[in-house]
Amino acid sequence: MTTLIWSALQGLLFLAFFSSIPVARSGPQEQGPSYLKFVFNATEFPHVDYYDYIIVGGGTAGCPLAATLSSSHRVLLLERGGPIQEFPSLLTQEGFIAALMNVDMYDSPAQAFTSEEGVPNARGRVLGGSSAINAGFYSRADADFFRNSGMAWNLEVVNKSYEWVEKEIVFQPMLKSWQSVVRDALLEAGVSPYNGFTLDHVMGTKIGGSTFNSFGRRHSAADLLNYANPVNLHVAIYASVERILVVGIGLTQFAIGVIYRDSVGQYHHAMVKKNGEVILSAGAIGSPQLLLLSGIGPRPYLSYWGIPVVRHLPYVGQYLYDNPRNGISLVPPIPLEQSLIQVVGITDSGSYIEAASNVIPFASPSPNIFYLSPLAPVYLTVATIMEKITGPLSSGSLRLASTDVRVNPIVRFNYFNNPIDLERCVNGTRKIGDALRSSSMDGLRYLEWFGVKEFRFVGAAMPDDLSNTQEVEEFCRRTVSTIWHYHGGCLMGKVVDRNFRVKGVKSLRVVDGSTFNVSPGTNPQATLMMLGRYMGLNIMEEREKYKH
Ligand SMILES: Cc1cc2nc3c(=O)[nH]c(=O)nc-3n(C[C@H](O)[C@H](O)[C@H](O)COP(=O)(O)OP(=O)(O)OC[C@H]3O[C@@H](n4cnc5c(N)ncnc54)[C@H](O)[C@@H]3O)c2cc1C
Ligand SMILES: *[C@@H]1O[C@H](CO)[C@@H](O)[C@H](O)[C@H]1NC(C)=O
Ligand SMILES: *[C@@H]1O[C@H](CO)[C@@H](O)[C@H](O)[C@H]1NC(C)=O
Ligand SMILES: *[C@@H]1O[C@H](CO)[C@@H](O)[C@H](O)[C@H]1NC(C)=O
């Protein structure tokens, strides 16, 4: 029983309650966002209709992309899930764990999947995508990301696009006890300098942004739909896209539309108008899956499934990455507030350190609470400190489990296959060790026999000897879990070109985390939302040029 609780904890660390100072304007959201005026159940859409842009996936990148393109074009945004307002647990920080634990196979807003390594994971299935189920930490990408991502970024437009996002949905959090302790401990551990509150990626320790506002209310990419031109944007929810329609042969293949199914099982055709496009923003699992189901992928593999080959593209579903997460959780002797990630330590040795504190119901007797009925739930605060490695370099792949788009593909990430990833984890774990040894952490130790002060870990304890590389490596492998920053599957340079166009198929792009070969910055959502805005501007500019 306790093992079960602790292992659940290892997977679901963050539950929080904190206050924040707005960067964004706060307020009218509480009445219900204005974008709901143009969001409709897919059943209400015509069987055939025509649009300039058809965007598949109303997620972290898809929403800002749709809002931007709607300024001068007729846009259809297709999302398989429902609106966030239908799932109360998503609206508050306290609902974070409840939402992740509610894992109905076809309907819950968090769709669970487990990699072949046995690591439990989750993907968003709701308007707003994974930004509507995530932990809300917001931090821009590192400079290396823009240098090495294979695209010629215009950094001025990148900055303007980040600002466009931040004005609407990013807030400055106020630190309480655990986050403050971690900040101080990181500084003592040499993760310096202290950079205060900043959205920028800078070496040292900082406070980042949050998409939860000062009332603890969630904002997500869906709120960026408030920027849309309501006359031009059509958002269909409970619209599951099953296939991309491609015509032509050889060098002149075009995407001409998509087929989607509504909640009562009816099929709809959405077709692109002249010079229009289909854009996949279905995420690192959804976009490669949909390409494969549409016959765009490795020929022998598609043939094995009996899927007619539309375009042989060998790397669809390959180069799928997930950044391993490792760390420890402890029960403090003094009460701590709940908190989501607010502080991050950006080291120069291959890892980022983050923390959360979480109150969990605990229904089992322990030596310290023997006077309570074994059945009475006892609430314990569990404080977690963890590291995410940069990159990663190890990659895996995605395979279909079914030709039903609702069924999760089978994924494998090959955590730590590359020895550099393992070294990064060893470095990060040692940093956590340094932070735990700092005087800032003293108050979290229990006074044991003979004046010895010790932490009480829940789940895995720190390795005994952090100088023993083999022992720390073993810890990394044994306790690996995910921070949900998986990416890749439609890699830039392999599946899409530097303009995010699918190689060999005209009027078809992929704009989401599936195109990334590394996780941007400490946490990806900032950069995915920026990407949606950036590519929207880019596509419109390109189209203007083409016209003259
Ligand atoms: C539990 C959790 C916590 C996280 N915490 C943080 C954090 O604190 N900070 C941070 O920066 N990042 C965090 N992340 C990561 C971040 O949220 C994701 O990397 C990011 O949201 C992915 O964006 P995306 O646009 O690539 O995909 P998504 O946002 O997942 O969007 C894909 C969308 O496509 C839809 N879709 C898929 N297939 C179809 C189809 N066939 N038809 C129609 N629609 C379809 C999906 O329903 C979804 O809405 C977290 C992620 C999770 C899961
Ligand atoms: C969508 O509309 C159909 C038809 O009106 C209805 O049966 C269905 O329940 C609706 N779906 C949702 C999830 O609202
Ligand atoms: C973009 O913003 C970053 C971080 O705020 C800044 O360092 C950089 O100079 C800016 N670049 C441009 C081109 O404006
Ligand atoms: C691990 O840390 C050491 C010491 O700081 C450093 O020299 C090494 O480059 C780091 N390894 C990686 C993969 O970053």
Side-chain angles (χ1 to χ4, degrees):
M1 180 62 195
T2 40
T3 328
L4 248 178
I5 292 174
W6 298 142
S7 63
L9 251 180
Q10 287 297 309
L12 312 166
L13 291 168
F14 324 118
L15 179 65
F17 192 90
F18 65 83
S19 46
S20 56
I21 301 168
V23 171
R25 319 169 251 113
S26 204
Q29 292 299 317
E30 312 307 322
Q31 266 81 52
S34 63
Y35 69 77
L36 286 176
K37 286 194 301 250
F38 48 82
V39 173
F40 296 99
N41 190 331
T43 50
E44 295 174 31
F45 279 69
H47 285 291
V48 182
D49 206 351
Y50 291 81
Y51 304 88
D52 294 311
Y53 295 98
I54 297 164
I55 299 168
V56 180
T60 313
C63 288
L65 176 64
T68 301
L69 288 171
S70 76
S71 72
S72 47
H73 300 283
R74 188 164 198 260
V75 177
L76 176 66
L77 179 62
L78 294 163
E79 168 53 45
R80 62 184 181 148
I84 191 169
Q85 291 75 12
E86 279 187 20
F87 309 101
S89 62
L90 299 185
L91 296 172
T92 64
Q93 299 160 92
E94 296 95 316
F96 180 77
I97 284 187
L100 278 185
M101 292 190 107
N102 165 23
V103 286
D104 181 274
M105 183 139 138
Y106 295 124
D107 296 317
S108 55
Q111 181 182 19
F113 68 97
T114 301
S115 63
E116 286 190 302
E117 289 85 2
V119 174
N121 212 320
R123 45 191 298 230
R125 180 170 47 196
V126 56
L127 192 59
S130 300
S131 77
I133 66 164
N134 73 13
F137 191 65
Y138 182 99
S139 188
R140 293 185 182 189
D142 48 305
D144 277 352
F145 173 78
F146 295 109
R147 278 195 285 270
N148 303 334
S149 59
M151 194 197 174
W153 296 93
N154 177 334
L155 291 178
E156 222 167 284
V157 180
V158 164
N159 282 2
K160 288 215 171 76
S161 300
Y162 275 127
E163 285 159 19
W164 182 86
V165 171
E166 289 152 12
K167 243 179 18 214
E168 191 71 12
I169 62 162
V170 180
F171 303 86
Q172 176 179 353
M174 290 292 291
L175 303 198
K176 290 189 184 167
S177 48
W178 175 235
Q179 297 290 327
S180 304
V181 166
V182 169
R183 174 196 55 196
D184 297 346
L186 286 171
L187 290 169
E188 277 191 71
V191 187
S192 53
Y194 179 54
N195 294 307
F197 169 69
T198 175
L199 302 178
D200 289 339
H201 186 97
V202 273
M203 204 64 77
T205 296
K206 72 163 194 174
I207 302 170
S210 175
T211 48
F212 287 99
N213 73 10
S214 46
F215 307 103
R217 299 283 290 182
R218 184 191 290 279
H219 289 248
S220 78
D223 295 300
L224 300 173
L225 294 173
N226 287 331
Y227 278 121
N229 176 348
V231 176
N232 281 345
L233 181 57
H234 306 259
V235 181
I237 50 171
Y238 302 112
S240 202
V241 177
E242 299 203 340
R243 195 144 47 92
I244 308 154
L245 299 168
V246 176
V247 295
I249 46 160
L251 293 175
T252 49
Q253 283 181 297
F254 296 84
I256 56 164
V258 303
I259 297 176
Y260 64 98
R261 210 162 113 129
D262 66 27
S263 57
V264 297
Q266 303 259 33
Y267 284 96
H268 303 251
H269 280 65
M271 309 300 288
V272 292
K273 301 207 281 196
K274 186 159 180 277
N275 296 326
E277 293 186 29
V278 172
I279 308 172
L280 304 187
S281 297
I285 309 290
S287 288
Q289 178 192 28
L290 200 53
L291 286 177
L292 292 173
L293 291 176
S294 305
I296 301 169
R299 182 186 302 278
Y301 183 71
L302 295 173
S303 302
Y304 164 83
W305 272 98
I307 298 170
V309 180
V310 168
R311 181 89 206 173
H312 170 63
L313 258 190
Y315 298 113
V316 175
Q318 301 299 307
Y319 297 99
L320 190 70
Y321 303 84
D322 192 23
N323 303 65
R325 165 167 66 94
N326 292 82
I328 55 92
S329 293
L330 47 89
V331 182
I334 46 160
L336 293 176
E337 298 89 357
Q338 292 176 307
S339 64
L340 281 176
I341 305 165
Q342 297 169 322
V343 163
V344 63
I346 301 178
T347 75
D348 57 3
S349 54
S351 72
Y352 304 129
I353 297 168
E354 299 182 350
S357 46
N358 175 25
V359 173
I360 55 141
F362 180 70
S364 164
S366 91
N368 303 307
I369 51 172
F370 61 89
Y371 47 86
L372 291 168
S373 148
L375 294 175
V378 176
Y379 288 86
L380 284 182
T381 310
V382 173
T384 300
I385 180 164
M386 58 203 146
E387 60 88 29
K388 161 197 176 178
I389 72 161
T390 59
L393 295 168
S394 310
S395 72
S397 62
L398 169 153
R399 306 191 326 266
L400 297 175
S402 165
T403 51
D404 182 344
V405 75
R406 296 172 304 168
V407 177
N408 276 316
I410 299 160
V411 299
R412 154 175 295 276
F413 295 114
N414 294 320
Y415 297 110
F416 302 124
N417 255 19
N418 188 307
I420 294 175
D421 286 348
L422 195 56
E423 194 180 316
R424 288 169 174 166
C425 179
V426 168
N427 283 357
T429 304
R430 285 179 174 149
K431 269 287 178 247
I432 291 175
D434 293 344
L436 288 173
R437 269 193 305 278
S438 71
S439 66
S440 307
M441 289 279 183
D442 267 355
L444 297 176
R445 293 173 190 264
Y446 285 79
L447 191 56
E448 308 283 3
W449 297 111
F450 309 115
V452 176
K453 293 176 85 185
E454 301 277 18
F455 292 115
R456 292 199 183 157
F457 294 111
V458 296
M462 283 297 279
D464 285 330
D465 180 4
L466 283 168
S467 67
N468 181 335
T469 301
Q470 230 179 321
E471 191 181 332
V472 186
E473 286 177 353
E474 194 272 328
F475 171 86
C476 288
R477 290 187 191 280
R478 176 169 48 87
T479 67
V480 67
S481 70
T482 181
I483 194 163
W484 307 286
H485 297 173
Y486 54 85
H487 54 277
C490 298
L491 219 61
M492 177 164 292
K494 303 276 186 202
V495 173
V496 297
D497 69 13
R498 50 198 285 136
N499 293 311
F500 296 83
R501 293 178 183 281
V502 173
K503 290 185 169 194
V505 183
K506 296 197 167 75
S507 56
L508 180 61
R509 297 194 215 223
V510 182
V511 175
D512 61 26
S514 69
T515 62
F516 292 171
N517 67 348
V518 294
S519 182
T522 64
N523 299 67
Q525 70 167 342
T527 302
L528 285 158
M529 293 186 220
M530 179 281 289
L531 176 70
R533 171 66 178 169
Y534 183 96
M535 283 310 296
L537 294 173
N538 198 285
I539 289 169
M540 288 194 297
E541 194 190 46
E542 199 176 272
R543 189 172 171 142
E544 270 310 295
K545 257 191 236 156
Y546 185 67
K547 220 163 66 180
H548 301 306

